[in-house]
């Protein structure tokens, strides 16, 4: 037994962590001194048998911890003999010569010790007076505890935002990278430098599971919160060769990856490390002909040392040595500067064919690996040949494949060799992939398709190559067939794998992760602006928008307390603090939503990135990171710091403040536009609300008949989607059930009376029945329900022509006004422009014939009219895109070959191809019987506003219009055709190749002014900086989805100010959404709209809109002539239902815009040559 006073004793007090003291009130109980003192001159702590003290449980814990070497403790009475001061000395786990002793503690002892440490450590105070057993004054000062007691209520997103900007200490990236056309910003060069350092450095890093902590003398120790153990020196762990590039959305992550690839383009991957298997780097030439021992042993081990194809009789020539060294030394030899000379000689073919490789054996035991080869034994298993490469494999979502192609053309020189692997592309051989390309890009779906070709065992059955060499050389001309059951991707030691939008790798069950495990990859990168669903890189350029959003007036209607009886179950149990003074000392409990995001982050780190520390123990992240954070009492001490350190170890990002010092995006202004529904649309809305109200009252808001019952969640969502559609425009072939409601009205009233419903419910029921009755009696409203399209008001049209060309019962002679659909107006206009002097009788005949043909097409295709007309629209758009691509190709030829002034090129090319941007109108149109026909506003106030905006601004700015509903976008497309503004669509009914072409065309051509985009498809990854105006057709409930959509235009490269407008119908759920979203800002998780307390309360208590008894006239609105072209900035629709003031008075610095014309304050678009576009053959 060591002497306690001997410093050579590893457990001597001087070798331990002097944590602090615990103060124990011993009341009047005497302390019996054993006259034995420790090296600090204090007494040993009384044993657990003493029970005379008020806090004898503390002594029991300290006694157990001392006995099992968790800590040591000494004590001393204060001067007043009423307080016992206990010094606590923690035993560091890295004390010399004691690790074996500490490891021998049983699992039960470790568990009990952890429980006692949890109770003891928070009581330790670091105070010099207590350490000296001096009595503290009666007025106690704030005490400094050993474990900090500051409550860290940061969310995961806030922790992410607080990560520091990383700067490499060993690697510097210059302003110019060979092969990169673009010049990187300073912060982008810093990120590339940090990535290179992570890939190349072999220096270990500090263990992120330990946090720094000080002893009583201020000396630094390291503490592991999960195990409550300390170490004198911070342990180190192996570095991960990769990480997560999670710079803010819109900051140029793609060009950073291109910079990384080109800065390391000649670096060759190295064989996968193995302690049991020696894996030299070889080339086919060296393997066949070089006599060196490593090649001889490789041939012997593979059973090839007696092959007739070997030629080792002569010494390798200098050329042969160079052919080998150039391919195996990687970036040590600058071969790219000599590529042209080599290609002109016969050496280039030999160099490309001499692909480096190594042999991978399935080593089953150390004895098998080290045993000498018995040449007389038949070789039953051949080595798996793994090609080494300088190439990077990039896997991207299918909708970003075309964008990567465009980004490479934009940022890289033509010397970059890259391959785009599309859905139908045949993947080249492994040897070609490894030798011929710097960059291989493929979609995630195509990547997963390769996962089925995973018969790796077949590769060990393939005999080594015995192909003849190239004539006049000894380099093998390998033509060995590949095994179709094995993907070429599995036969390469990849230098780097990049997963774009790689947050999907957080799903441990993903097929992508499963296939990645089977690949041999040296470096792995995830590229995303959203590592998990609540970590959002959406801050760049949002300062000005946040200032505006904070000042938005919120209707107090939606901020009132909601009755506790509201049935609203939210799966997330995490508490949300308002940040008020009353909650300052309350820990935020991390709930199931937080835990799920931690699980995704853990899967990225341990499974996909395979960070050595976490990959070797798959449970480590959960036990040491997630569990301490998700304690039921709130995060344990140091748990948030550990998560921050883990994220800092793998994530590369810059704080937004650092980026905005260098990059200032144009101003972005986001404004809600409040408007009222047209009278007919309000009738439809009230009819839908009537059904909800009747359901609530008739079911007495109970049971499964009630639409808000938990089992009706799917039907409720459908009802809310229909309601949202109705606030743009909606028609119902069953008239929204108003006839049935009208028929059963007496029964509803009788049941309500019998149930003795409250007076307010009876009043609500009567309102619902009255609104259903009003809609059912309106003949024109009933007529417009039989076709989905939005009707437009028309004036100055001959009655006979109108009745022949309009649809259904809209032609009734008792109609209040003339209404026609946009596609019929377009057809009528096209006919008259082609034959301007056509008489009334002939126009009537043509209209009737068109009606008959349309019905015939619908019957033939068994589809409603809208589907047939929408298909025709889509076909027309496809034709226009193809024509525009031809124009762009021809322009490029003209630039290079013909002497045409730049300002005249567009007109020159279009005339040459027979296309005309604006065909000349016949002067005879003024003599047409419909020359005075004008198109007025539609019955959709949202559509009217969009058309007004497009007409006003589309000459100088492009539009990006988002909606959740493809039907809404189809309505807008028809209206844009009516006013003859070119548009493109990006929706689920557009094929993937056409979507790619649409993005490229929109960005490259000035012809198309509007991009209609389905929100779920266009909210991530796309770069659409040619647009500067964004319109959301309905409010977006999730702020992150909205912000990501805006980032398509508000990103690096944008030069125009960005205008964002969200269309909101007053006194409806849309207005409630805007207000509730503002109240929920900063609260962490945003629940589903149908379960959020405030929104659910609003929806459960339907409100009806006031409907004018007479539809408001539109004669004061500016109208568009049917036969002439609408001039941008010259005409607009002014709806009487869109007013200047919002539902609540807005803040003084927020302008809620009306639909009146305003002068455009944007600078004229400069005339410039369009960027070069390369086309696939």
């Amino acid at each position: 037994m060591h002497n306690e006073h001997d410093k050579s004793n590893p457990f001597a007090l001087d070798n331990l962590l002097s944590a602090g003291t615990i103060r124990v009130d011993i009341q009047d109980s005497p302390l019996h001194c054993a006259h034995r003192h420790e090296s600090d001159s204090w007494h040993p702590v009384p044993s657990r048998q003493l029970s005379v003290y008020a806090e004898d449980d503390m002594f029991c814990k300290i006694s157990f911890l001392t006995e099992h070497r968790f800590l040591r403790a000494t004590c001393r009475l204060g001067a007043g003999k009423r307080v016992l001061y206990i010094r606590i000395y923690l035993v560091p786990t890295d004390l010399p010569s004691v690790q074996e002793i500490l490891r021998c503690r049983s699992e039960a002892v470790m568990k009990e010790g952890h429980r006692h440490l949890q109770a003891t450590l928070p009581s330790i105070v670091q105070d010099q007076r207590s350490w000296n057993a001096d009595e503290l004054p009666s007025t106690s000062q704030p005490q400094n505890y050993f474990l900090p007691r500051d409550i860290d209520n940061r969310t995961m997103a806030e922790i992410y935002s607080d990560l520091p900007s990383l700067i490499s200490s060993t690697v510097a990236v210059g302003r110019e990278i060979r092969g990169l056309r673009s010049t990187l910003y300073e912060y982008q060069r810093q990120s590339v430098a940090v990535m290179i350092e992570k890939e190349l450095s072999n220096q270990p890093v500090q263990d992120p599971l330990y946090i720094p902590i000080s002893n009583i003398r201020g000396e630094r120790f390291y503490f592991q919160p999960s195990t409550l153990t300390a170490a004198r020196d911070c342990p180190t762990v192996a570095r991960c060769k990769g990480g997560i590039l999670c710079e803010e959305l819109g900051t140029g992550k793609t060009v950073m990856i291109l910079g990384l690839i080109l800065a390391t383009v000649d670096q060759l991957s190295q064989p996968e490390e193995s302690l049991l298997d020696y894996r030299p780097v070889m080339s086919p030439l060296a393997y066949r002909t070089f006599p060196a021992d490593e090649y001889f042993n490789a041939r012997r081990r593979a059973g090839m040392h007696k092959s007739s194809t070997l030629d080792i009789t002569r010494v390798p020539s200098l050329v042969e040595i160079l052919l080998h060294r150039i391919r195996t030394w990687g970036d040590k030899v600058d071969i790219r500067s000599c590529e042209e000379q080599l290609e002109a000689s016969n050496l280039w073919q030999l160099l490309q064919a001499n692909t480096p490789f190594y042999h991978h054996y399935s080593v089953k035991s150390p004895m098998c690996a080290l045993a000498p080869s018995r040449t007389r034994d038949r070789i039953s298993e051949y080595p798996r040949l793994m090609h080494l490469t300088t190439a990077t494999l990039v896997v991207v979502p299918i909708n970003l494949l075309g964008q990567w192609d465009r980004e490479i053309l934009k940022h890289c020189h033509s010397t970059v060799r890259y391959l785009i692997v599309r859905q139908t592309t045949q993947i080249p051989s492994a040897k070609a992939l490894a030798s011929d390309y710097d960059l291989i890009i493929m979609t995630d779906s195509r990547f997963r398709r390769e996962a089925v070709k995973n018969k790796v065992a077949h590769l060990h059955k393939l005999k080594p190559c015995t192909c003849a060499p190239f004539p006049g050389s000894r380099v093998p001309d390998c033509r060995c067939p590949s095994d179709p059951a094995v993907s070429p991707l599995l036969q390469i030691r990849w230098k780097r794998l990049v997963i774009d939008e790689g947050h999907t790798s957080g799903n441990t069950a993903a097929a992508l992760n499963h296939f990645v495990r089977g690949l041999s990859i040296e470096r792995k990168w995830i590229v995303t602006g959203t590592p998990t669903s609540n970590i959002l890189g959406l801050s760049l350029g949002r300062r000005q928008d946040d200032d505006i959003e904070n000042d938005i007036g919120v209707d107090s209607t939606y901020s009132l307390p909601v009755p506790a009886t509201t049935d609203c179950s939210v799966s997330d149990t995490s508490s949300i603090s308002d940040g008020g003074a009353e909650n300052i000392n309350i820990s935020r409990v991390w709930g199931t939503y937080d835990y799920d995001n931690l699980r995704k982050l853990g899967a990225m780190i341990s499974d996909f990135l395979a960070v050595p520390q976490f990959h070797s123990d798959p449970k480590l992240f959960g036990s040491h990171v997630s569990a301490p954070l998700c304690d039921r009492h709130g995060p344990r001490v140091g748990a948030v710091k550990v998560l921050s350190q883990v994220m800092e170890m793998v994530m590369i990002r810059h704080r937004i403040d650092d980026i905005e010092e260098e990059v200032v995006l144009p101003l972005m202004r986001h404004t809600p536009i409040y408007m009222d529904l047209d009278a007919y649309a309000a009738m439809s809305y009230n009819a839908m609300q009537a059904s909800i109200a009747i359901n609530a009252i008739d079911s007495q808001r109970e049971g499964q008949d009630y639409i808000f019952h938990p089992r009706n969640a799917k039907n409720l969502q459908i009802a809310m989607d229909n309601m949202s559609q109705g606030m743009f425009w909606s028609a119902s072939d069953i008239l929204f059930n108003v006839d049935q409601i009208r028929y059963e009205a007496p029964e509803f009233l009788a049941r309500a009376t019998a149930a003795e419903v409250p007076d307010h419910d009876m009043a609500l029921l009567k309102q619902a029945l009255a609104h259903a009755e009003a809609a059912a009696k309106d003949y024109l409203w009933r007529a417009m329900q039989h076709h989905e399209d939005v009707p437009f008001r028309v004036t100055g049209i001959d009655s006979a022509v109108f009745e022949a060309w309009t649809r259904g019962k809209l032609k009734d002679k008792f109609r209040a006004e003339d209404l026609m659909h946009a596609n019929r107006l377009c057809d009528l206009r096209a006919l008259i422009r082609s034959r301007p002097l056509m008489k009334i009788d002939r126009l009537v005949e043509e209209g009737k014939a068109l009606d008959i043909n349309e019905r015939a097409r619908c019957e033939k295709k068994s589809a409603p009219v809208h589907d047939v007309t929408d298909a025709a629209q889509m076909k027309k758009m496809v034709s226009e895109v193809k024509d525009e691509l031809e124009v762009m190709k021809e322009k490029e030829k003209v630039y290079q070959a013909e002497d045409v002034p730049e300002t005249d090129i567009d007109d020159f090319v279009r005339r040459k191809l027979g296309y005309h941007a604006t065909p000349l109108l016949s002067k005879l149109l003024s003599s047409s019987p419909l020359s005075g026909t004008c198109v007025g506003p539609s019955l959709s106030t949202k559509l009217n506003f969009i058309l007004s905006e497009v007409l006003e601004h589309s000459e100088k700015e492009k539009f990006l219009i988002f909606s959740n509903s493809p039907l809404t976008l189809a309505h807008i497309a028809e209206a844009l055709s009516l006013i003859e503004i070119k548009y493109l669509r990006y929706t689920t009914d557009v094929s993937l190749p056409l979507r790619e072409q649409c993005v490229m065309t929109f960005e490259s051509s000035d012809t198309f002014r509007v991009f209609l985009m389905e929100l779920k498809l266009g909210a991530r990854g796309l770069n659409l900086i040619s647009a500067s105006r964004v319109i959301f057709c309905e409010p977006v409930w999730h702020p992150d989805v909205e912000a990501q959509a805006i980032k398509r235009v508000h990103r690096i490269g944008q030069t125009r100010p960005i205008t964002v407008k969200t269309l909101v119908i007053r006194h409806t759920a849309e207005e409630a959404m805007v207000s509730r979203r503002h109240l929920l800002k900063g609260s962490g998780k945003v629940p589903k709209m149908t379960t959020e307390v405030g929104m659910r309360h609003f929806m459960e208590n339907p409100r009806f809109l006031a409907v004018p008894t007479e539809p408001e006239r539109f004669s004061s609105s500016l109208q568009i002539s049917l036969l002439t072209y609408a001039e941008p900035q010259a005409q607009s629709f002014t709806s009487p239902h869109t007013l200047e003031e919002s539902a609540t008075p807005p803040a003084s610095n927020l302008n809620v815009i009306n639909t009146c014309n305003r002068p455009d304050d944007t600078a004229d678009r400069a005339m410039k040559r369009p960027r070069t576009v390369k086309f696939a053959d």
Side-chain angles (χ1 to χ4, degrees), residues 194-440:
V194 172
M195 287 191 283
I196 294 174
E197 181 180 1
K198 283 183 175 292
E199 289 187 343
L200 301 183
S201 175
N202 292 317
Q203 293 297 318
V205 295
Q206 290 191 339
D207 190 338
L209 301 181
Y210 284 80
I211 63 174
I213 204 163
S214 300
N215 65 4
I216 192 68
R217 294 187 292 274
E219 299 168 341
R220 174 167 289 194
F221 281 70
Y222 293 88
F223 181 74
Q224 191 173 57
S226 54
T227 60
L228 302 178
T229 56
R232 294 172 18 156
D233 300 308
C234 186
T236 58
V237 294
R239 184 189 292 268
C240 172
K241 291 185 178 297
I244 305 174
L245 177 63
C246 48
E247 298 281 10
E248 293 285 327
L249 290 175
T251 55
K253 293 185 291 295
T254 301
V255 75
M256 292 183 206
I257 290 297
L258 293 176
L260 171 67
I261 292 170
L262 294 177
T264 60
V265 69
D266 291 322
Q267 292 177 7
L268 185 70
S269 60
Q270 295 301 304
E272 193 170 351
E273 293 182 358
S274 174
L275 296 175
L276 305 177
D277 192 17
Y278 176 57
R279 297 171 177 174
V281 176
M282 299 178 284
S283 66
L285 174 63
Y287 181 66
R288 286 271 195 99
T289 64
F290 284 19
D293 288 346
E294 60 182 0
Y295 307 117
F296 174 79
N297 292 334
R299 293 189 291 264
R300 183 183 182 88
R301 188 178 182 188
M304 286 290 295
H305 58 295
K306 294 184 179 180
S307 173
S308 60
T309 60
L310 299 182
D311 183 6
I312 55 175
T313 56
R314 53 191 173 99
V315 176
S317 67
L318 179 59
V319 170
E320 289 176 331
I321 294 174
L322 286 174
L323 286 173
H324 169 71
R325 292 302 183 194
I326 288 172
R327 292 308 308 270
T328 57
W329 279 4
D331 59 345
K332 296 177 182 178
V333 180
D334 181 11
I335 194 64
R336 291 189 178 256
S337 59
C338 306
E339 275 190 16
E340 291 185 2
Q341 295 92 319
L342 288 170
E343 288 178 3
S345 69
N346 61 349
L347 293 179
W348 182 253
Q349 184 183 29
L350 301 180
L351 196 63
Q352 289 296 98
N354 201 34
T355 308
F357 67 91
Y358 70 93
H359 283 161
H360 180 110
Y361 286 90
S362 297
V363 179
K364 299 179 181 178
S365 72
M367 295 304 296
C368 294
L370 299 176
S373 173
R374 298 178 178 272
T375 57
R376 63 177 178 272
D377 292 346
R378 183 175 62 86
I379 299 296
S380 60
E381 186 177 81
Y382 294 100
R384 172 183 170 189
L385 190 145
M386 297 294 292
H387 297 283
L388 300 176
T389 184
T390 59
T392 295
L393 177 63
V394 179
V395 178
V396 305
I398 193 166
N399 64 314
L400 297 186
L401 188 65
Q403 177 149 316
W404 268 85
D405 195 359
R406 293 188 295 275
E407 291 292 296
I408 293 172
L409 292 173
K410 176 181 176 182
H411 296 295
C412 301
H413 291 296
S414 58
T415 55
V416 176
R417 305 170 301 166
Y418 71 100
L419 172 69
I420 302 290
V421 181
R422 303 184 185 276
Q423 296 297 95
T424 58
T425 303
Q426 178 67 38
I427 297 182
S429 67
K431 186 174 181 181
L433 285 176
S435 286
D436 297 347
Y437 303 102
D438 303 318
L439 176 60
I440 296 104

Side-chain angles (χ1 to χ4, degrees), residues 597-614:
N597 283 302
L598 286 169
R599 180 191 59 77
K600 292 176 183 177
L601 180 62
M604 290 185 201
I605 290 174
S606 60
D607 196 23
F608 178 81
L609 293 176
V611 176
Q613 178 183 17
F614 297 100

Side-chain angles (χ1 to χ4, degrees), residues 68 93 109 147 168 197 201 338 428 478 563 568 576 616 663 704 707 732 759 766 842 862 904 1084 1104 1141:
H68 293 285
T93 55
V109 167
L147 296 181
S168 173
E197 181 180 1
S201 175
C338 306
C478 180
C568 180
I576 299 174
S616 60
V663 180
Q704 294 187 30
I707 193 171
S732 169
D759 291 343
K766 291 179 179 178
R842 184 61 179 164
S862 300
D904 299 334
F1104 297 99
E1141 56 275 352

Side-chain angles (χ1 to χ4, degrees), residues 777-1033:
K777 288 182 177 180
D778 191 292
Y779 192 84
L780 189 56
W781 179 85
R782 296 177 68 93
M784 63 184 66
Q785 300 305 313
H786 296 288
H787 195 278
E788 282 184 320
D789 287 353
V790 184
F792 281 78
R793 295 177 169 100
V794 183
T795 59
I797 187 170
D798 181 85
S799 179
V801 174
F802 170 78
E803 292 175 5
W805 280 82
T806 196
R807 288 192 178 97
K809 296 183 179 180
L810 291 176
K811 64 187 69 174
D812 188 85
K813 62 181 179 179
F814 298 110
R815 60 188 179 272
E817 50 190 329
D818 291 343
L819 298 173
M820 288 184 70
H821 298 120
N823 57 344
R824 281 294 176 93
L825 288 167
C826 290
D827 292 339
L828 177 59
R829 178 177 60 198
L831 176 63
I832 296 176
R833 283 181 178 173
S834 64
R835 301 170 65 183
L837 298 181
M838 184 177 285
K839 300 297 184 183
I840 294 291
D841 293 343
R842 184 61 179 164
L843 284 172
V844 170
E845 291 177 10
E846 291 288 342
K848 291 179 179 179
L850 175 67
D851 201 54
I852 293 171
N853 290 335
E854 185 179 82
R855 286 200 298 268
R857 291 201 310 272
C858 292
E859 290 175 3
K860 182 178 180 180
K861 297 185 178 181
S862 300
V865 175
H866 174 80
D867 290 350
V868 173
T869 56
D870 189 54
Q873 272 190 356
M874 191 67 67
K875 186 176 180 180
K876 179 183 177 184
M877 188 192 76
V878 172
S879 175
E880 289 176 344
V881 169
K882 290 181 178 179
D883 290 347
E884 191 65 21
L885 291 175
E886 288 297 320
V887 169
M888 293 160 63
K889 285 183 181 179
E890 189 63 26
K891 277 185 180 180
E892 190 62 29
K893 295 178 182 177
V894 171
Y895 280 132
Q896 299 172 1
E898 301 191 34
D899 186 18
V900 179
E902 191 167 339
T903 55
D904 299 334
I905 285 181
D906 186 78
D907 187 60
F908 174 82
V909 169
R910 292 183 189 279
R911 290 183 179 277
K912 181 179 178 181
L913 296 176
Y915 307 140
H916 299 285
T918 306
L920 296 176
L921 294 180
S922 171
K923 295 180 180 179
L924 298 176
L925 285 176
S926 60
S927 302
S928 169
L930 297 187
S931 60
T933 302
C934 291
V935 179
S938 74
L939 300 188
S940 168
T941 50
K942 288 187 176 182
L943 182 57
N944 294 341
F945 178 84
I946 291 171
L947 295 180
S948 174
E949 288 285 292
V950 170
L951 281 171
E952 183 177 354
H953 300 290
S954 63
E955 185 181 27
K956 296 182 178 179
E957 296 184 81
K958 288 188 177 185
F959 282 77
L960 188 56
I961 300 179
F962 285 105
S963 176
N964 277 316
S965 167
L967 179 58
T968 292
L969 298 176
H971 290 327
I972 300 171
E974 288 182 344
L976 291 173
S977 296
L978 178 61
I979 63 173
E980 299 182 280
I981 298 292
K982 296 287 187 181
Y983 65 89
L984 295 169
R985 289 167 69 173
Y986 196 97
T987 57
T988 50
D989 52 355
V990 178
S991 67
L992 288 169
L994 181 55
R995 287 184 213 167
E996 290 185 19
Q997 286 185 332
C998 285
V999 172
M1000 182 181 70
T1001 304
F1002 185 73
E1003 285 297 286
S1004 306
S1005 168
D1006 284 337
T1007 301
F1008 296 92
R1009 310 306 297 168
V1010 180
F1011 208 161
L1012 305 176
M1013 187 162 287
E1014 197 170 342
L1015 188 63
K1016 67 179 181 181
L1017 296 180
R1020 190 188 299 278
L1022 296 173
N1023 186 340
L1024 298 169
I1025 58 174
S1026 67
S1028 55
R1029 287 187 169 267
V1030 179
I1031 296 177
F1032 290 98
C1033 295

Side-chain angles (χ1 to χ4, degrees), residues 729-772:
W729 177 257
S730 181
S732 169
D733 55 359
I734 60 172
L735 307 179
F736 299 103
N737 293 315
V738 294
D739 286 340
Q740 182 181 354
I741 292 173
R742 186 183 181 191
Y743 177 77
E744 297 181 7
E747 297 179 23
F748 292 137
L749 289 170
R751 284 198 292 269
T753 303
E756 298 181 352
V757 300
D759 291 343
H760 66 272
D761 272 355
M762 182 61 76
L764 181 63
L765 177 59
K766 291 179 179 178
Q767 285 185 59
L769 297 176
H771 283 290

Side-chain angles (χ1 to χ4, degrees), residues 542 545-556 558-559 578 672 674 1035-1039 1042 1070-1083 1086 1092 1095 1144 1147 1150:
R542 295 207 64 199
D545 191 43
D546 289 342
D547 294 339
I548 292 172
E549 209 173 315
N550 290 334
D551 292 327
I552 290 179
V554 179
D555 190 343
S556 60
Y558 310 122
S559 58
D578 292 329
Y674 294 92
V1036 182
W1037 176 244
H1038 288 280
E1042 179 187 74
E1070 290 189 343
E1071 188 174 18
M1073 283 173 63
V1074 175
S1075 299
R1076 291 299 302 174
R1077 227 191 74 171
H1078 179 76
L1079 293 175
L1080 291 171
K1081 183 181 178 183
S1083 62
V1086 177
E1092 198 276 324
M1095 286 303 300
T1144 57
L1150 175 66

